[in-house]
Structure formats: C-alpha cells, structure tokens
Amino acid sequence: MIKCRKISKGYAEGEVILTKDPLSFLGGVNPEKGTVIDSKHELYNKNISGKVLIIPSGKGSTVGSYVLYQMAKNKTAPLAIVALEAEPIIATGAIMAGIPMVDRPEEEILDLLHNGDIVAVDADSGFIKILKQN
C-alpha cells in the first residue's frame, strides 16, 4: 500500500491512465466524451472516463472545477484522481463531483505505475493499493 493524503472522500478500483504532464480540464478535456482534447498533451485523444487518473497536478482556470463536475453529471469523469500535488482547481472539482482523490503519495507513482495497471484508491483511509500490474 502507498500512503497518500486524502483530498476527496471515497473508494474506487480501476484501470490506471497516467501522465507526467499537468492536466487542464478547461479546454483540455471534452466533458461530453471524457477525451483529452489538448493536442499538446501526452494523453491527447485518450479517454479518461471510468479510469483512475494519475497526474502530477492540474493547471488552468478555476472553471476547470466545473468541467470536472459536469463530467461527473455526464458520467464521463475519472473513477478517481491521484495527484502528486493537488491544487485547488482539481481538488475543488473532485470534491464537488464526489470523485475520490488523494495526493502526496509516499512513493514515486509516476515511475511505479503504468497505463493499464489496476489499482484501488481508498481516499477515506489515505492509500493506493496496486491490485494488478501489466
């Protein structure tokens, strides 16, 4: 288990989608489809819906919080979010949308985990558990 700091309560298990690039939800993600639409982003054209999104941090406008909330309403949101460092935009969006979120993992998860791995995010207890690695 990898200890983390709780940002938004909840528990989710799912497939990892990981990026080493900060992500902006406003203008960077299509809330109708859950696809990354920022052509300069590492995850361009990838879908983050129903996955455990692992990012270094968020970036961009405060409206990104509402984009994340809209994604939850559209059922296109990530199952959970893990950030190296949560910033207020994504933290607020995750809380509003009821998406489990943690940050400050005690291990180098951007090197440890890979796309397609299966993890559990237990934000209530403050940990990530690797269930299956590819």
Side-chain angles (χ1 to χ4, degrees):
M1 286 196 284
I2 302 166
K3 288 189 174 281
C4 302
R5 178 177 71 156
K6 171 186 170 181
I7 300 296
S8 178
K9 68 182 180 176
Y11 178 91
E13 290 182 10
E15 180 183 338
V16 166
I17 188 158
L18 178 144
T19 179
K20 294 183 179 182
D21 295 341
L23 182 63
S24 172
F25 280 86
L26 179 63
V29 179
N30 178 332
E32 302 299 319
K33 297 180 179 175
T35 304
V36 176
I37 56 174
D38 176 354
S39 63
K40 295 181 176 118
H41 198 277
E42 179 183 14
L43 294 179
Y44 178 61
N45 272 339
K46 301 270 196 259
N47 195 291
I48 62 173
S49 299
K51 296 194 172 123
V52 176
L53 178 64
I54 300 181
I55 56 176
S57 66
K59 66 177 184 176
S61 165
T62 55
V63 178
S65 299
Y66 296 99
V67 173
L68 197 49
Y69 178 72
Q70 185 62 48
M71 290 177 74
K73 293 289 185 198
N74 294 343
K75 301 195 182 327
T76 60
L79 286 175
I81 301 172
V82 178
L84 296 185
E85 188 64 41
E87 41 62 58
I89 296 165
I90 293 189
T92 301
I95 292 166
M96 287 176 12
I99 299 169
M101 182 175 179
V102 296
D103 79 342
R104 298 184 184 167
E106 290 188 345
E107 294 185 37
E108 296 295 326
I109 58 168
L110 294 180
D111 296 326
L112 180 63
L113 295 173
H114 302 92
N115 288 329
D117 290 349
I118 307 295
V119 297
V121 177
D122 187 337
D124 297 330
S125 300
F127 72 82
I128 304 164
K129 183 176 182 181
I130 300 169
L131 302 176
K132 179 183 168 214
Q133 285 194 289
N134 289 332

